Amino acid sequence: EAGVAQSPRYKIIEKRQSVAFWCNPISGHATLYWYQQILGQGPKLLIQFQNNGVVDDSQLPKDRFSAERLKGVDSTLKIQPAKLEDSAVYLCASTEGQPSKEQYFGPGTRLTVT
Amino acid sequence: AQSVTQLDSQVPVFEEAPVELRCNYSSSVSVYLFWYVQYPNQGLQLLLKYLSGSTLVKGINGFEAEFNKSQTSFHLRKPSVHISDTAEYFCAVSGHNFNKFYFGSGTKLNVKP
């Protein structure tokens, strides 16, 4: 079974530029999460999708971050414009959608904003 | 919202020594509990999970954890660590009625020869 795929693995941009990350969850997984993991901290939920609908985006900085999950499969997270404090690892995870099921994580995208 | 506390940000230990990584959570309702491990430049990998039943849960790589409802704790243990266990460990909790996960801030386990 293929795992959660993310690309790119690394990205370096200058502040005020835009960037997009892509995630392909495990086939059949209804719930998809985007997390931001700043160095030395645990993952912080940015947005949670159930199929192609948003369940929770309360911690997503909507003035600069956006995310979509078209057709309930792949997802894209965008930052525009980026700030220095957006430097972090962006993790995508998916689950089958039931509370007892663990999350499966992708390898993450390490973003450096200079 | 729930919270997860990992009191130890770093735990140094010698190879073959036992180790305990502490995790406490805030919920007063039934929860599911997880421990994840993160190796450098990788995503999180599930070590073990508690859903119900026996309070002692065994996971991969010789790790185990004990659920203590009265103390709202889920400490991770290993009787003898290896160099390869050097990584960061995250405790997480989700609720029975939702599939949102809350993570602790992580504990870096540094196994020294």
Side-chain angles (χ1 to χ4, degrees), chain A residues 42-60:
Chain A
K44 182 187 88 171
L45 179 68
L46 291 176
I47 189 167
Q48 177 183 342
F49 291 95
Q50 181 76 14
N51 296 309
N52 61 351
V54 175
V55 174
D56 185 346
D57 63 357
S58 57
Q59 297 196 85
L60 186 74

Side-chain angles (χ1 to χ4, degrees), chain A residues 9-10 31 33 35 37 40-43 45 48 50 56 91 95 97-103 105-107 110, chain B residues 32 34 36 38 41-44 46 49 51 88 90 94-101 103-106 108:
Chain A
R9 291 294 313 276
Y10 305 92
T31 309
Y33 309 78
Y35 290 91
Q37 187 179 19
Q41 299 181 19
L45 179 68
Q48 177 183 342
Q50 181 76 14
D56 185 346
L91 295 166
T95 74
Q98 300 161 34
S100 64
K101 299 297 183 181
E102 69 268 24
Q103 294 181 311
F105 284 84
R110 182 177 297 278
Chain B
Y32 300 121
F34 306 83
Y36 287 85
Q38 186 176 34
N41 299 316
Q42 295 186 27
L44 279 69
L46 182 70
K49 61 183 177 181
L51 303 181
E88 191 157 18
F90 292 93
S94 72
H96 281 200
N97 296 320
F98 55 90
N99 53 345
K100 183 174 181 177
F101 291 75
F103 285 85
S105 56
K108 290 183 179 177

Side-chain angles (χ1 to χ4, degrees), chain A:
Chain A
E1 179 182 81
V4 177
Q6 288 187 250
S7 67
R9 291 294 313 276
Y10 305 92
K11 190 73 176 180
I12 301 174
I13 62 172
E14 295 181 352
K15 59 183 179 182
R16 291 187 290 273
Q17 287 186 324
S18 63
V19 65
F21 312 129
W22 173 82
C23 173
N24 186 13
I26 291 174
S27 178
H29 278 194
T31 309
L32 185 148
Y33 309 78
W34 281 102
Y35 290 91
Q36 181 191 58
Q37 187 179 19
I38 292 173
L39 188 64
Q41 299 181 19
K44 182 187 88 171
L45 179 68
L46 291 176
I47 189 167
Q48 177 183 342
F49 291 95
Q50 181 76 14
N51 296 309
N52 61 351
V54 175
V55 174
D56 185 346
D57 63 357
S58 57
Q59 297 196 85
L60 186 74
K62 298 181 185 65
D63 58 334
R64 298 184 301 106
F65 286 65
S66 65
E68 60 182 8
R69 190 183 184 196
L70 300 176
K71 301 180 181 178
V73 182
D74 294 8
S75 177
T76 303
L77 176 69
K78 296 179 181 178
I79 307 175
Q80 181 180 6
K83 293 184 175 182
L84 295 176
E85 58 261 36
D86 298 331
S87 293
V89 175
Y90 290 85
L91 295 166
C92 180
S94 69
T95 74
E96 295 178 31
Q98 300 161 34
S100 64
K101 299 297 183 181
E102 69 268 24
Q103 294 181 311
Y104 292 83
F105 284 84
T109 296
R110 182 177 297 278
L111 174 67
T112 302
V113 182
T114 62

